[in-house]
Amino acid sequence: MANSPNPFLKFFTSLRLTVVLLVTSLVLVFVATLAQVNLGIYGVQEMFFKSFLVWVEIPNLGFSLPVFPGGYLIGGFLMINLVTSHAYRFRLTWKKAGIQLTHFGLIVLLVGELITGILQEDFSLRLEEGETRNYSESFRRNEIVLIDKSDPTFDDVVAIPEAHLDDSDPIQHGQLPFRVVTRAHYPNANLTMLDTLPAGTPGVVANLSDEGIGPRLALLPAPFTYNDEERNLPAAFVELVGTDGSLGTWLLSPMLTQPQTFDYDGRTWEISFRFEREYKPFSLSLIELKHDIYPGSTIPKNFSSLVRLQTEDGSEDRESLIFMNEPLRHEGYTFYQYQMDSANGFSVLQVVRNPARSLPYVACVLMSLGLLWQFTFHLTKFARRRS
Amino acid sequence: MICPRMPSRLFIIPLVAALLLTGCQKDEVHAYRVPKEVPPPSSTVETAASDPAASAQSGLTWQAPSHWEELPANGVRRGSFNATNADGDTADISLIAFPGDVGGLAANLNRWRTQVGLDPLPEAEVQATIEHQDTPYFHLDFVNYLGEADGVPTRVAGAITSHGGESWFFKIIGPASIVDAELGAFREFLLTIAPSR
């Protein structure tokens, strides 16, 4: 390698940097694997890999400190290291073409993983037979929605992601004639009817609500779960404050199936805490679901959902059968058969949108071609020398 | 450990970029307009029960034993009854619906276990406590746990199923003396639960 006078180039083209980054990533993977016992796959991905820095909460002090580089930082540096080394050392010769192609494939793979990590969305779509929906729901994220129901045809929705509930400032939005103030937020909690709870039950928090069903409920905070099989069900006491003062405080939770309504300034509003929704410019209807079993047994053979896809503009109206390994693909979304309860007539589809889903395949092809070229080139050279 | 030296003024660039990008991940409050939602075919509007013997609310009907005292329903509690014996012991019978799977079957069963003073069980063990029962309309996951609350033997028995995009919980809980006596009636009651027409 030629010595570079530029310290920036020298640093980022350094092989030592590559080694340090690879060792750091090994440590990260090792620690994350151990942490998976308590955090589960999703928690580990968020904390260690889909982050620039690994933050650890300092006990009793209430704040977190970065203690280690996260996956994005290590991956980012690796990519810069790879790209700069590639550019700096690049010599267009047949002898090195395979190595260059292999490294280029690796860059594509890293970029693809970054795009996937940032942009991939994973939702569920639960449909009963005969039901039509134009939205899917997040597996993990929740939102508070305030819906102006006054229009007979449309609902005007203001959605507040759960992450905003921990903000100290009131939440304001141009379409809301009031401010939203979080009085308390519990990332996971159980609700039960107050009148069924024995007196003196430990763990019940002070009920701050004075509107809706809230005053009749008891709220028991639960530990935040990282179990991949479980879902956190948050709860919050939310106060709405208009120009003339407080409108009241509501207890909200995705466990409360019936939205709570109120009137303000001549308009009817609905407030609820629900699984975060993503609306789509098309709808799916579940026509029929099938749960086939092997004859003479209860062993599942096949789960399938026959759905009808209709776009808003009427340009597409077709039926599609979704079953294992045969998802429906439409407008960048992929609908997989996820869960089914044929006895109770509903099917759950997993809805995935990943703009970079083809990049790993491209990367593998590039790396395979590069390696094939490199080995073939050397083998040919070796064979010629022998002869 | 080998560590390449980085020029100090350059080190700040990726660090600041990392911190900025870390801080950019929170979704914003947003507004949109959607057509009014059409309820699924099997859902009906919740109404207060008027006939103690036959209730039709929110997509399900049931026939309760005549000796159970019906209590008013509310948002999450679609049906509510009390059963009382001669000693004044009262069992609470509830029919509750929540959207989605409410954290999964194991989490819900463990919630019931803790209500009678029992420790939560790991997923596999709590699954082993389930008795699978088919009714004319539903498959029920039935459980029966005996524990202790306030020094009194307390039993919770109940069944869970899904209907209309919601998880339905049918539960009887109270002192073991009254719940044991009502268990037969409760299981008969479960057989009467059907989708409303």
Side-chain angles (χ1 to χ4, degrees):
Chain A
M1 172 187 162
N3 283 333
S4 167
N6 187 329
F8 190 84
L9 262 183
K10 193 175 176 183
F11 174 79
F12 279 112
T13 55
S14 160
L15 188 61
R16 282 188 297 176
L17 176 65
T18 315
V19 174
V20 169
L21 289 171
L22 289 176
V23 170
T24 313
S25 61
L26 278 175
V27 174
L28 186 76
V29 170
F30 179 72
V31 176
T33 306
L34 296 181
Q36 199 177 316
V37 176
N38 296 321
L39 298 181
I41 293 173
Y42 179 79
V44 159
Q45 279 180 338
E46 293 295 310
M47 183 175 175
F48 291 89
F49 300 117
K50 291 184 179 179
S51 61
F52 288 90
L53 297 165
V54 178
W55 294 79
V56 170
E57 193 174 329
I58 309 300
N60 305 323
L61 292 179
F63 64 88
S64 302
L65 285 177
V67 294
F68 205 74
Y72 284 164
L73 197 60
I74 297 174
F77 268 81
L78 261 177
M79 199 174 72
I80 294 167
N81 180 229
L82 199 59
V83 171
T84 48
S85 304
H86 211 57
Y88 185 63
R89 300 198 178 97
F90 184 78
R91 301 286 181 272
L92 193 59
T93 61
W94 288 118
K95 189 180 173 185
K96 298 282 183 186
I99 291 176
Q100 301 291 351
L101 197 59
T102 307
H103 280 84
F104 183 62
L106 194 59
I107 291 168
V108 172
L109 191 67
L110 283 169
V111 171
E113 281 305 301
L114 182 69
I115 296 172
T116 299
I118 293 172
L119 296 179
Q120 176 169 299
E121 293 173 28
D122 212 356
F123 290 84
S124 73
L125 174 56
R126 181 182 177 124
L127 288 168
E128 285 179 56
E129 269 184 324
E131 188 183 9
T132 300
R133 276 191 179 182
N134 64 342
Y135 64 86
S136 52
E137 294 173 307
S138 171
F139 280 106
R140 297 186 181 275
R141 293 188 296 185
N142 308 288
E143 62 186 7
I144 282 184
V145 285
L146 287 135
I147 306 174
D148 183 349
K149 308 286 287 185
S150 307
D151 191 296
T153 332
F154 290 95
D155 287 340
D156 287 309
V157 183
V158 175
I160 303 167
E162 189 185 355
H164 285 268
L165 298 186
D166 295 323
D167 292 350
S168 53
D169 295 330
I171 299 159
Q172 303 198 53
H173 190 273
Q175 290 199 15
L176 293 179
F178 38 70
R179 285 172 289 142
V180 180
V181 184
T182 311
R183 292 297 173 207
H185 170 222
Y186 305 93
N188 193 19
N190 294 320
L191 294 183
T192 190
M193 298 309 296
L194 195 58
D195 57 7
T196 63
L197 210 61
T201 303
V204 180
V205 300
N207 193 333
L208 306 176
S209 64
D210 54 15
E211 287 289 337
I213 193 175
R216 287 185 282 158
L217 295 168
L219 192 156
L220 297 101
F224 192 87
T225 179
Y226 292 98
N227 189 326
D228 298 318
E229 303 297 321
E230 296 174 0
R231 176 172 186 142
N232 291 294
L233 290 167
F237 291 106
V238 170
E239 183 178 10
L240 303 181
V241 183
T243 48
D244 299 327
S246 176
L247 280 64
T249 302
W250 281 261
L251 171 55
L252 306 174
S253 164
M255 294 178 84
L256 297 172
T257 176
Q258 301 291 329
Q260 302 178 70
T261 56
F262 62 95
D263 291 320
Y264 180 71
D265 207 14
R267 306 185 81 81
T268 301
W269 292 85
E270 198 176 274
I271 184 169
S272 63
F273 208 166
R274 69 186 187 190
F275 302 155
E276 193 174 292
R277 288 186 185 180
E278 194 202 59
Y279 283 87
K280 298 171 173 51
F282 56 88
S283 64
L284 282 187
S285 312
L286 180 60
I287 300 170
E288 185 185 28
L289 54 84
K290 273 188 179 171
H291 173 192
D292 303 324
I293 53 170
Y294 286 100
S297 76
T298 56
I299 301 168
K301 183 181 177 185
N302 183 41
F303 298 100
S304 66
S305 300
L306 180 63
V307 297
R308 180 181 179 189
L309 186 150
Q310 292 171 289
T311 53
E312 272 178 4
D313 57 7
S315 61
E316 206 163 342
D317 186 349
R318 63 183 165 104
E319 291 184 4
S320 177
L321 186 66
I322 300 171
F323 55 99
M324 196 172 287
N325 297 329
E326 281 297 328
L328 163 67
R329 297 186 197 278
H330 181 72
E331 289 190 5
Y333 293 95
T334 310
F335 297 83
Y336 297 93
Q337 183 64 58
Y338 180 58
Q339 289 174 336
M340 180 173 287
D341 188 338
S342 54
N344 296 317
F346 73 83
S347 177
V348 184
L349 306 175
Q350 183 183 18
V351 188
V352 179
R353 183 172 59 188
N354 180 7
R357 72 183 171 87
S358 57
L359 286 186
Y361 302 108
V362 174
C364 285
V365 169
L366 289 172
M367 287 192 284
S368 302
L369 287 175
L371 289 171
L372 192 66
W373 172 264
Q374 200 63 26
F375 286 126
T376 310
F377 185 85
H378 282 283
L379 186 67
T380 314
K381 201 172 161 187
F382 175 74
R384 273 188 196 152
R385 213 180 283 161
R386 293 264 299 181
S387 62
Chain B
M1 184 175 171
I2 305 166
C3 188
R5 278 193 65 189
M6 184 179 192
S8 57
R9 66 182 185 279
L10 294 176
F11 185 75
I12 200 75
I13 298 169
L15 193 66
V16 169
L19 288 170
L20 285 175
L21 284 166
T22 309
C24 286
Q25 292 184 347
K26 195 157 91 171
D27 292 337
E28 293 305 314
V29 178
H30 55 285
Y32 52 87
R33 170 172 278 197
V34 288
K36 283 202 182 292
E37 213 174 312
V38 181
S42 58
S43 290
T44 59
V45 177
E46 180 184 351
T47 54
S50 55
D51 178 1
S55 304
Q57 305 171 32
S58 298
L60 290 185
T61 63
W62 50 82
Q63 300 282 329
S66 56
H67 66 280
W68 287 1
E69 177 198 359
E70 183 167 20
L71 304 171
N74 54 48
V76 290
R77 192 176 268 237
R78 309 295 176 84
S80 187
F81 301 91
N82 271 351
T84 309
N85 64 13
D87 298 331
D89 296 331
T90 300
D92 172 53
I93 300 111
S94 59
L95 293 88
I96 291 174
F98 288 118
D101 67 357
V102 203
L105 184 61
N108 290 307
L109 296 182
N110 275 326
R111 199 171 297 141
W112 283 358
R113 289 180 62 81
T114 56
Q115 287 174 1
V116 292
L118 298 174
D119 291 331
L121 292 174
E123 169 94 26
E125 288 179 38
V126 79
Q127 289 280 355
T129 65
I130 298 170
E131 177 189 332
H132 295 280
Q133 180 187 351
D134 284 317
T135 73
Y137 295 97
F138 298 107
H139 176 86
L140 302 178
D141 293 324
F142 184 87
V143 292
N144 186 349
Y145 301 129
L146 177 63
E148 196 177 280
D150 299 326
V152 179
T154 305
R155 186 182 293 282
V156 58
I160 299 177
T161 192
S162 298
H163 177 71
E166 296 174 312
S167 295
W168 281 80
F169 302 87
F170 314 109
K171 184 177 77 171
I172 181 168
I173 187 170
S177 53
I178 174 73
V179 176
D180 288 350
E182 291 295 332
L183 208 51
F186 179 70
R187 297 197 75 142
E188 288 291 321
F189 166 72
L190 293 178
L191 296 175
T192 69
I193 295 169
S196 59
R197 301 295 175 198

